[in-house]
Amino acid sequence: MQSQNFVLKFQKELCETCPTYDCLTRCQYLNIDTKTAEREIRKLLNGEDSFVLHECVTCYACEEYCKRGNHPFYLITDLQEKKGILPAPKPIVKQWVNLGIPDKKDIPHFYGAEEPVISLCLFPDFVNSIRGKLFQGVSIVLGRHFFCNLVYLHFGKPSLIRERLPKIIENIASHGFKEVVFFHDECYSTFTSYADAYEIKVPFRPVHLFEYLYNRLKELKDEIKPLNVRIAYQRNCSTRLTPQKEHYLDKIFELLGVERVERKYDRENALCCGGIIRGLQKLDLFVEVQKKNVEDMKNAKAEYCVFNCPACYSSLAERVRKEGIKPIMLHQLCKLALREEPR
């Protein structure tokens, strides 16, 4: 399929008049003062090379730090690709590019799938966990025909997202769904933030898993047994693209009777799980980031580390477990409160 000419909605003058340059000065992986930030932003606006393009760890956070909605991270990834700057070694990029191509195991149409429907993206290991009271009557779709491809923001290949996304949207829309719940935050952020930024039309309403869980827990409120535990929450990178749904998370924790511990690396100040930093072969930084993050959870006396992203779980679960903190996915925590096997 040929890539359509989707252009980023970006207003240069918003950056030129920015009083803070928060997108760069708040970066937790690049040490950039205001004067340097102003200089490097102007380079990026003019399409020039900048050390930012080479040293960015692709954590997405600058999208959230920009309070003017001007998509600095999407600009950075577009420039990386335009200049042939690959954040990761070429063999790793190639491996990831091939990952998104459907093969014979992938099903393009799930006949009989009805709303409410959950897209599991590329995480078949969680099929058996989408059961019980929490997911009663829910249909599942998954596989590469539904894979959002947003991961290519990490690898300097954003045009692949725009090339493949119209067909993925078509695959989902062909089922006639009016709403689709997205299990993976990256999918939700693709069909909301990224699609909107490039004016790609989405003919169904993307529903975040937080919203689904909150509404379902309210229906099951009388069956919830408060957990009374202290939890640390590990924010994933793509949630930076859609922070407007975060309020559901605190409401979920309130319903479950858990305490989200106060700690340094939470909310807008969250640290990457380290997985993508390791993938970019920045191994010393990977070790440092995970150490700071887990020590912060431990100092806050967290009993559980709650994940929303399966990739974050894969990257960090063993590390937190070694420190005596129990790793658990958010929907599994909800099932615990309903006295169901989390699985």
Side-chain angles (χ1 to χ4, degrees):
M1 180 182 295
Q2 294 298 312
S3 177
Q4 298 182 47
N5 188 29
F6 297 116
V7 178
L8 177 64
K9 291 192 291 186
F10 190 88
Q11 298 182 60
K12 189 176 179 181
E13 60 275 17
L14 289 181
C15 291
E16 290 174 332
T17 58
C18 181
T20 65
Y21 306 106
D22 277 351
C23 59
L24 295 186
T25 57
R26 292 187 63 186
C27 178
Q28 300 192 76
Y29 310 100
L30 303 178
N31 184 19
I32 300 180
D33 58 28
T34 304
K35 188 175 179 181
T36 304
E38 180 180 5
R39 184 188 67 216
E40 298 306 311
I41 284 286
R42 293 191 180 282
K43 287 182 182 177
L44 297 176
L45 294 177
N46 292 326
E48 298 170 8
D49 199 1
S50 161
F51 74 88
V52 173
L53 300 177
H54 298 264
E55 297 181 18
C56 174
V57 302
T58 69
C59 75
Y60 299 20
C62 51
E63 277 288 305
E64 185 174 28
Y65 296 151
C66 174
K67 301 307 180 189
R68 297 183 155 197
N70 210 26
H71 304 306
F73 181 60
Y74 297 155
L75 175 68
I76 287 171
T77 58
D78 281 354
L79 285 173
Q80 284 176 329
E81 183 167 42
K82 186 177 180 181
K83 295 182 177 301
I85 298 169
L86 295 178
K90 191 175 289 187
I92 292 177
V93 175
K94 185 177 180 181
Q95 182 183 34
W96 276 95
V97 167
N98 291 334
L99 176 75
I101 301 172
D103 62 23
K104 292 180 181 177
K105 295 179 181 177
D106 297 295
I107 302 170
H109 197 98
F110 284 72
Y111 294 99
E114 297 178 347
E115 295 184 51
V117 60
I118 290 184
S119 173
L120 278 186
C121 190
L122 281 181
F123 299 102
D125 290 349
F126 286 94
V127 167
N128 288 334
S129 72
I130 307 300
R131 291 179 179 170
K133 297 173 187 173
L134 202 57
F135 299 105
Q136 198 166 25
V138 167
S139 295
I140 293 173
V141 297
L142 78 164
R144 289 172 180 79
H145 290 289
F146 307 92
F147 173 43
C148 66
N149 285 260
L150 197 71
V151 71
Y152 299 123
L153 291 177
H154 290 303
F155 298 105
K157 293 289 184 184
S159 67
L160 264 182
I161 305 169
R162 302 191 291 275
E163 177 185 318
R164 295 174 177 176
L165 194 52
K167 181 58 180 173
I168 294 160
I169 291 171
E170 182 184 321
N171 292 340
I172 297 173
S174 70
H175 290 75
F177 302 138
K178 293 180 179 176
E179 293 186 352
V180 179
V181 180
F182 289 99
F183 179 80
H184 193 202
D185 190 281
E186 281 209 358
C187 294
Y188 176 80
S189 294
T190 301
F191 297 114
T192 51
S193 169
Y194 198 79
D196 179 70
Y198 289 90
E199 300 188 273
I200 301 172
K201 292 184 179 178
V202 178
F204 49 83
R205 185 173 92 88
V207 178
H208 195 275
L209 184 64
F210 292 172
E211 181 181 345
Y212 172 84
L213 291 176
Y214 174 63
N215 288 331
R216 187 66 183 131
L217 287 171
K218 279 199 302 180
E219 293 172 352
L220 298 168
K221 190 173 180 180
D222 292 341
E223 299 182 49
I224 295 173
K225 182 181 179 181
L227 294 171
N228 297 317
V229 293
R230 295 168 59 83
I231 63 99
Y233 178 62
Q234 174 58 42
R235 285 189 87 201
N236 55 293
C237 52
S238 60
T239 206
R240 304 287 196 168
L241 310 180
T242 53
Q244 66 273 15
K245 88 284 181 172
E246 293 279 304
H247 65 98
Y248 284 114
L249 187 60
D250 285 320
K251 290 180 178 178
I252 290 170
F253 290 150
E254 186 178 343
L255 283 171
L256 299 180
V258 302
E259 180 187 351
R260 182 175 182 171
V261 296
E262 293 292 330
R263 65 190 190 100
K264 182 177 180 181
Y265 300 119
D266 195 10
R267 303 187 189 273
E268 284 197 6
N269 202 39
L271 285 175
C272 171
C273 69
I276 199 61
I277 296 175
R278 179 173 53 190
L280 303 184
Q281 300 294 289
K282 299 177 185 292
L283 300 181
D284 289 343
L285 182 61
F286 157 69
V287 172
E288 178 189 338
V289 167
Q290 283 208 338
K291 183 180 178 184
K292 285 164 58 176
N293 199 5
V294 176
E295 283 185 351
D296 189 43
M297 296 179 196
K298 194 176 176 182
N299 291 338
K301 297 182 171 28
E303 298 168 81
Y304 283 83
C305 176
V306 179
F307 297 87
N308 175 46
C309 172
C312 291
Y313 184 96
S314 177
S315 169
L316 198 57
E318 190 56 32
R319 184 73 177 78
V320 300
R321 190 179 283 116
K322 285 180 179 176
E323 296 296 336
I325 302 170
K326 299 171 187 172
I328 191 167
M329 293 290 290
L330 176 63
H331 71 291
Q332 294 171 329
L333 187 76
C334 295
K335 294 177 89 168
L336 269 185
L338 292 169
R339 285 166 284 186
E340 291 186 328
E341 283 292 321
R343 285 195 293 185

